[in-house]
Amino acid sequence: ILNVEQSPQSLHVQEGDSTNFTCSFPSSNFYALHWYRWETAKSPEALFVMTLNGDEKKKGRISATLNTKEGYSYLYIKGSQPEDSATYLCASYWAGGTSYGKLTFGQGTILTVHP
Amino acid sequence: GAVVSQHPSRVICKSGTSVKIECRSLDFQATTMFWYRQFPKQSLMLMATSNEGSKATYEQGVEKDKFLINHASLTLSTLTVTSAHPEDSSFYICSARVTSDPSYEQYFGPGTRLTVT
C-alpha cells in the first residue's frame, strides 16, 4: 500500500503570515501530484497538478514545488488571509502496481488564518 | 466551469433500507467518475472507479453487492448503498475527470453525509 503523508496536520497562523506545508510520497514510479483546497461545506477545488521534477506552479498567493526524486511537494501561501482557511489535500498517482490510475490522498493539513 | 453536483447532501435512513446518491457533471462530459468515502479524521479513500457504459472497478475490500455503482451516461453516476447498516454511516464524495489521463485534475462534488439509524 502506498501512503501519502502530509504535515503538519493542522496549522494556525495570523493574517499576513506566510506559511508552508509538506506532502511526502513514495518516489518510485511516481506519475503526478495533485493539490486541492477544501473549504467547509464546499467541493474540493483543484489547485495544482504537477508531474515533472522541479516543477513550480503558482496561483495568486499560493505556489507549489515538486521533488520527485526524494518524494515531496511543498505548498506555500504568501500573506495568508482568513479566506485561505481550509483543508489542503495532496494526492499522488503512481505509474505502476496496484495504485496505478488512482489518486491516493493524504489526510490533509487544516489551515486556520486568524484575523 | 467544471462543476460537479451531488445529491442529496445529507440523508438519514433506517437500517436495512437502500440509499441512492447521484453525482452529475453539469458542464462537461466525464470520461471517468470516482467514488470516495471518508471516515472521521481520515483521508479520502477510493471506493470505486467507473467509466461510462462499463462496469465499475472496485477497490479491494469494497463490497460490490453493497455499493452498487452505475455510470449510465457521460454526466451521471450513481452510488446505491443497499441494505444500509450503521457502519455504512460515512461521508461519500464523488469526482469526475474529463480524460483517462491521471495528470488532469479531478472535479469533486460537495459530498453526501449518510447516517444510518
Side-chain angles (χ1 to χ4, degrees):
Chain A
I1 296 176
L2 296 169
N3 286 324
V4 176
E5 303 286 339
Q6 289 188 248
S7 64
Q9 287 190 340
S10 65
L11 195 54
H12 291 257
V13 301
Q14 290 297 125
E15 182 175 357
D17 288 349
S18 293
T19 186
N20 65 86
F21 20 94
T22 306
C23 173
S24 302
F25 51 88
S27 57
S28 180
N29 293 321
F30 170 83
Y31 189 93
L33 190 285
H34 293 223
W35 279 102
Y36 292 87
R37 173 170 60 200
W38 194 359
E39 295 178 65
T40 303
K42 294 186 178 179
S43 305
E45 172 199 357
L47 289 174
F48 307 112
V49 178
M50 297 186 288
T51 57
L52 300 176
N53 185 47
D55 253 355
E56 290 188 32
K57 294 214 172 178
K58 188 174 180 180
K59 184 187 270 191
R61 294 178 291 99
I62 304 176
S63 59
T65 61
L66 178 67
N67 183 321
T68 62
K69 295 187 186 305
E70 297 182 40
Y72 64 84
S73 175
Y74 293 138
L75 189 80
Y76 300 91
I77 302 178
K78 184 177 177 182
S80 303
Q81 300 296 309
E83 57 264 32
D84 295 328
S85 297
T87 298
Y88 290 83
L89 297 172
C90 73
S92 187
Y93 273 117
W94 292 274
T98 57
S99 295
Y100 175 71
K102 311 165 194 174
L103 269 182
T104 298
F105 280 85
Q107 286 187 290
T109 293
I110 302 170
L111 173 67
T112 305
V113 182
H114 299 279
Chain B
V3 177
V4 174
S5 70
Q6 196 172 330
H7 178 80
S9 58
R10 288 182 179 271
V11 57
I12 300 172
C13 70
K14 292 189 175 180
S15 189
T17 61
S18 295
V19 174
K20 181 185 281 189
I21 302 170
E22 289 190 350
C23 177
R24 291 181 185 272
S25 58
L26 298 184
D27 50 3
F28 66 99
Q29 293 187 324
T31 301
T32 308
M33 286 185 165
F34 304 88
W35 287 95
Y36 295 87
R37 183 174 181 177
Q38 186 184 36
F39 291 106
K41 300 195 177 186
Q42 294 190 23
S43 56
L44 295 176
M45 298 297 295
L46 182 65
M47 298 175 66
T49 302
S50 75
N51 294 290
E52 183 262 342
S54 305
K55 286 186 179 179
T57 302
Y58 290 80
E59 294 301 299
Q60 192 173 8
V62 177
E63 298 176 59
K64 300 178 186 182
D65 296 332
K66 169 165 272 301
F67 299 101
L68 299 179
I69 291 172
N70 184 274
H71 193 159
S73 74
L74 284 170
T75 59
L76 174 64
S77 177
T78 59
L79 167 68
T80 301
V81 184
T82 62
S83 186
H85 288 96
E87 58 266 29
D88 298 324
S89 298
S90 191
F91 184 78
Y92 295 86
I93 189 168
C94 70
S95 70
R97 196 171 62 202
V98 299
T99 87
S100 58
D101 186 342
S103 66
Y104 281 74
E105 61 261 76
Q106 293 181 12
Y107 300 102
F108 283 84
T112 296
R113 174 74 60 191
L114 170 63
T115 304
V116 185
T117 60

